[in-house]
């Protein structure tokens, strides 16, 4: 099916759903609606640790979102102050290798990992986008503009984007692995259990003039600093830092500012060839590469959305926490619990934002 035909078909399906009353804002009834993601109020919040075993999640009904061959299930609960989302989907590989990750060949560094990106899931919430009810995430997708194609068509419009990035935001706080990891030649895992705790990369999307697009189109980081910086020198010929003795595969694949500050790394510019060969040998034994990013704590509005995720033997499970009302104008606010809140979901399997599977229009409904 051509992209144009697919787009037209999706728009027809969404229009029919709208006419049937399946999307939009409705008055609060306190009763669950099986056509929506029902956020159930709980007295005790779930712990955001990548484990879905909390009692709070047993109170919520799973909402299934069809994303092609990807089976995606979502639950939601809330407290007086916070919204929590649990999402799970099938993915045969744990992918945390970015295209700019580093490999040492004994003489020079190479950072071209063709076809590699990272696993991701993204939630898009319209703040003031009237056409979202009929078009869903297509309001911001303009594939013909490539990586700059995420922007809105009308001045004054804005949407909130929560983006889980397995390599760049998910492991900011901690990481661990267990089981019997199997790491392939492409540095992806096909077995094992990997848990990471960190943040969603919180951004917003606005209108941009299609004739004069910036590199990121209409995507902007929320106010404050992000969860990552570059691990490369000014000449882009080598990483800045290399861990001396990573304890396991996931430790090698995640590099934090705190590890640099604690002396767990060597600065490549000041390292001898023997040191580089020795430390790179540790990466080789673990099946790892040197990550292209250095992770750090985000700040201000960019730190609004906390998350934790676990990939275990072909299944992703993530937990998300955000305040119902952050008070920031770059965020969607869940301040009126009598309304539905529309959203879209997309999943990227070791892929960039221009290659993703996206849902139609979904509704979040708050119930007691």
């Amino acid at each position: 099916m051509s992209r144009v035909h697919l787009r037209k078909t999706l728009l027809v399906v969404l229009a029919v759903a709208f006419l049937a009353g399946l999307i939009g804002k409705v008055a609060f009834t306190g009763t669950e609606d099986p056509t929506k993601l029902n956020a159930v109020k709980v007295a005790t919040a779930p712990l955001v640790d990548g484990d879905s075993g909390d009692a709070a999640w047993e109170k919520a009904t799973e909402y299934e979102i069809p994303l092609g061959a990807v089976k995606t299930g979502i639950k939601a609960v809330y407290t007086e102050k916070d919204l929590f989302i649990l999402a799970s989907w099938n993915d045969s590989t744990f992918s945390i290798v970015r295209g700019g990750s580093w490999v040492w060949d004994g003489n020079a560094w190479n950072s071209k990992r063709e076809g590699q990106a990272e696993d991701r899931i993204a939630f898009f919430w319209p703040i003031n986008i009237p056409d979202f009810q009929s078009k869903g995430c297509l309001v911001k997708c303009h594939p013909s503009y490539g990586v700059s194609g995420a922007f809105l068509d009308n001045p004054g419009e804005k949407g909130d984007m929560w983006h889980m990035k397995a390599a760049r935001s998910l492991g900011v706080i901690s990481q661990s692995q267990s089981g019997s990891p199997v790491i392939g030649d492409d540095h992806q895992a096909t077995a094992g259990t990997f848990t990471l705790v960190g943040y969603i990369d919180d951004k917003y999307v606005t209108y941009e003039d299609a004739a004069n697009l910036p590199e990121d189109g209409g995507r902007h980081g929320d106010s404050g600093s992000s969860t990552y910086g570059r691990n490369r020198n000014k000449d882009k010929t080598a990483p800045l830092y290399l861990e001396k003795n990573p304890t396991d595969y996931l430790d090698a694949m995640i590099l934090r500012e705190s590890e640099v500050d604690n002396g767990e790394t060597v600065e490549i510019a000041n390292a001898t060839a023997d040191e580089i060969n020795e430390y790179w040998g540790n990466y080789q034994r673990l099946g790892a590469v040197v990550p292209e990013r250095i992770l750090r704590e985000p700040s201000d509005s960019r730190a609004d959305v906390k998350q934790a995720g676990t990939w275990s033997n072909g299944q992703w499970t993530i937990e998300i926490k955000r305040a119902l009302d952050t008070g920031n104008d770059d965020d969607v606010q869940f301040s009126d619990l009598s309304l539905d809140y529309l959203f879209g979901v997309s999943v990227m399997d070791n892929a960039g934002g221009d290659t993703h599977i996206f849902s139609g229009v979904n509704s979040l409904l708050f119930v007691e």
Side-chain angles (χ1 to χ4, degrees), residues 60-139:
T61 301
E62 184 172 86
Y63 174 69
E64 294 185 3
I65 297 180
L67 293 171
V70 180
K71 298 178 180 179
T72 307
I74 301 179
K75 291 184 176 183
V77 298
Y78 70 103
T79 62
E80 291 290 339
K81 295 182 178 180
D82 299 307
L83 170 67
F84 298 83
I85 292 176
L86 173 71
S88 61
W89 68 98
N90 58 296
D91 184 344
S92 60
T93 55
F94 174 67
S95 307
I96 199 170
V97 181
R98 293 281 299 163
S101 301
W102 298 95
V103 170
W104 174 249
D105 67 6
N107 295 297
W109 291 97
N110 178 284
S111 64
K112 296 181 179 180
R113 311 273 73 75
E114 299 295 341
Q116 298 278 30
E118 64 194 316
D119 290 338
R120 314 184 206 182
I121 188 171
F123 290 78
F124 186 71
W125 307 86
I127 295 176
N128 59 326
I129 310 174
D131 285 346
F132 190 88
Q133 286 190 341
S134 59
K135 295 181 180 180
C137 290
L138 290 175
V139 296

Side-chain angles (χ1 to χ4, degrees), residues 156-306:
E157 293 182 335
K158 183 183 290 186
D160 191 6
M161 185 165 63
W162 302 354
H163 204 163
M164 181 209 90
K165 299 176 177 178
R168 291 177 288 169
S169 67
L170 188 52
V172 171
I173 296 174
S174 67
Q175 92 285 327
S176 63
Q177 70 177 59
S178 59
S180 301
V182 176
I183 312 299
D185 292 339
D186 58 1
H187 312 291
Q188 297 183 85
T190 55
T193 297
F194 306 91
T195 297
L196 304 101
V197 180
Y199 295 84
I200 286 283
D201 193 8
D202 192 5
K203 293 188 174 184
Y204 64 97
V205 181
T206 62
Y207 162 81
E208 291 290 341
D209 181 0
N212 189 29
L213 287 173
E215 182 178 355
D216 274 350
R219 291 172 295 186
H220 312 274
D222 282 16
S223 62
S225 59
S226 72
T227 57
Y228 51 87
R230 295 279 187 181
N231 183 27
R232 70 183 184 195
N233 61 17
K234 291 182 179 179
D235 296 332
K236 303 180 182 180
T237 57
L240 289 171
Y241 300 101
L242 177 70
E243 278 198 67
K244 298 175 184 177
N245 189 27
T247 57
D248 54 32
Y249 165 80
L250 195 51
D251 182 28
M253 298 293 289
I254 298 292
L255 177 61
R256 301 188 192 88
E257 278 189 351
S258 59
E259 292 176 303
V260 176
D261 295 339
N262 293 337
E264 298 176 39
T265 63
V266 63
E267 189 172 0
I268 297 297
N270 297 325
T272 66
D274 287 343
E275 287 177 321
I276 293 176
N277 286 325
E278 176 187 353
Y279 300 143
W280 170 247
N282 295 331
Y283 281 77
Q284 286 184 302
R285 284 188 289 275
L286 296 169
V289 292
V290 180
E292 69 164 14
R293 305 288 177 151
I294 302 173
L295 305 189
R296 63 198 179 198
E297 286 279 343
S299 64
D300 300 332
S301 183
R302 201 83 182 259
D304 283 336
V305 192
K306 295 180 173 61

